[in-house]
Amino acid sequence: MCGRYVPSDDRAIEQYWHIGARDSGQWIRRYNVAPSTQVPLLRHNEQGQLELDGARWGLVPHWWNKPALPSLSFNARSEEAASKPMWRQAIRLQRCIMPALGWYEWNEKEKVRNRAGRQVNQPYYHHAADDSMLAIAGLWSTWTSTEGNQVLSCALLTKDAAGPVAAVHHRMPVILEPEQFELWLSTATSAETIHAAISTSREDFEAYPVTTDVGNHRNDYPELLEPI
């Protein structure tokens, strides 16, 4: 489960994806976002152009009718996405990219003490070796509340961990190669091609231990990324 990550700021997103500066200032640099937070995502608009939007991290399907919003819909297992009601429409037609610099995961086999003296799992920060932009494969949905408000929401896809990531946790986000961006976003891409993109997504990451302060989502500052 990936429950914390480090999104990119809008200027870096705009430069990397060449989408101009029309959204500058909306997404400042953050270091520890948690589910239900507003995060940046990239998707195609109705004209097929790449667009930067903000969405609730925690997908709410269009048919949701319960008083409370779903609480565990921020990750979608890629192996189940095509068959589960929560995800199956989005994996077919509503795919997005969640731009990031890295993500956190906790090693259940490595116990440490936090500042309060409580025993916790050791957190690790995962990133590309060159600290380049990561394109997390995501799903999006638009839901209308009982008050008539439209809510754009998203979830990131996960798969079995590989490489150094597997030494920390058994799951990891699906992170796309640059040549997979357009096919992932296109509604014309076949289910077979989507499955192949997930299977061949990036696995070239590094990880190092960081402060247990990352366990509190209210902590959001650059020092969280420093190795210990």
Side-chain angles (χ1 to χ4, degrees), residues 175-215:
I175 297 177
L176 303 169
E177 299 279 6
E179 60 268 22
Q180 297 173 325
F181 295 170
E182 283 303 310
L183 67 85
W184 182 260
L185 295 172
S186 173
T187 56
T189 305
S190 68
E192 292 77 15
T193 302
I194 291 301
H195 179 74
I198 293 170
S199 299
T200 58
S201 56
R202 291 181 62 179
E203 297 178 350
D204 56 326
F205 305 111
E206 296 181 350
Y208 57 79
V210 294
T211 174
T212 58
D213 290 351
V214 74

Side-chain angles (χ1 to χ4, degrees), residues 23-225:
D23 298 299
S24 285
Q26 183 179 5
W27 301 108
I28 60 173
R29 181 75 187 274
R30 298 193 62 188
Y31 300 90
N32 187 20
V33 300
S36 78
T37 304
Q38 285 284 309
V39 297
L41 64 77
L42 292 159
R43 59 176 179 161
H44 281 162
N45 60 23
E46 293 180 355
Q47 291 73 44
Q49 298 173 325
L50 194 59
E51 185 174 77
L52 177 61
D53 262 317
R56 175 188 188 269
W57 183 24
L59 189 136
V60 185
H62 70 90
W63 44 261
W64 191 260
N65 59 9
K66 297 180 181 180
L69 297 182
S71 60
L72 296 175
S73 60
F74 51 91
N75 283 183
R77 292 176 64 91
S78 57
E79 302 90 338
E80 302 173 346
S83 59
K84 295 284 187 179
M86 181 71 71
W87 320 115
R88 62 190 179 198
Q89 176 172 323
I91 192 68
R92 285 179 53 243
L93 299 171
Q94 295 168 199
R95 296 181 296 274
C96 63
I97 288 173
M98 299 168 65
L101 298 179
W103 76 96
Y104 300 104
E105 198 55 83
W106 281 257
N107 189 342
E108 296 178 351
K109 299 176 182 178
E110 189 177 348
K111 305 296 183 181
V112 294
R113 299 282 178 181
N114 65 12
R115 291 183 186 273
R118 186 165 58 90
Q119 184 171 274
V120 296
N121 298 330
Q122 174 63 56
Y124 280 74
Y125 178 63
H126 298 76
H127 64 113
D130 60 358
D131 286 321
S132 59
M133 181 79 70
L134 305 183
I136 300 177
L139 310 174
W140 65 269
S141 178
T142 301
W143 170 75
T144 303
S145 71
T146 54
E147 294 80 19
N149 300 317
Q150 282 205 331
V151 177
L152 178 63
S153 61
C154 63
L156 61 82
L157 281 169
T158 67
K159 67 174 188 176
D160 286 337
V165 178
V168 177
H169 198 268
H170 65 284
R171 301 293 290 180
M172 65 182 287
V174 174
I175 297 177
L176 303 169
E177 299 279 6
E179 60 268 22
Q180 297 173 325
F181 295 170
E182 283 303 310
L183 67 85
W184 182 260
L185 295 172
S186 173
T187 56
T189 305
S190 68
E192 292 77 15
T193 302
I194 291 301
H195 179 74
I198 293 170
S199 299
T200 58
S201 56
R202 291 181 62 179
E203 297 178 350
D204 56 326
F205 305 111
E206 296 181 350
Y208 57 79
V210 294
T211 174
T212 58
D213 290 351
V214 74
N216 186 335
H217 69 87
R218 289 184 289 272
N219 293 327
D220 191 357
Y221 40 79
E223 290 77 14
L224 295 176
L225 301 183

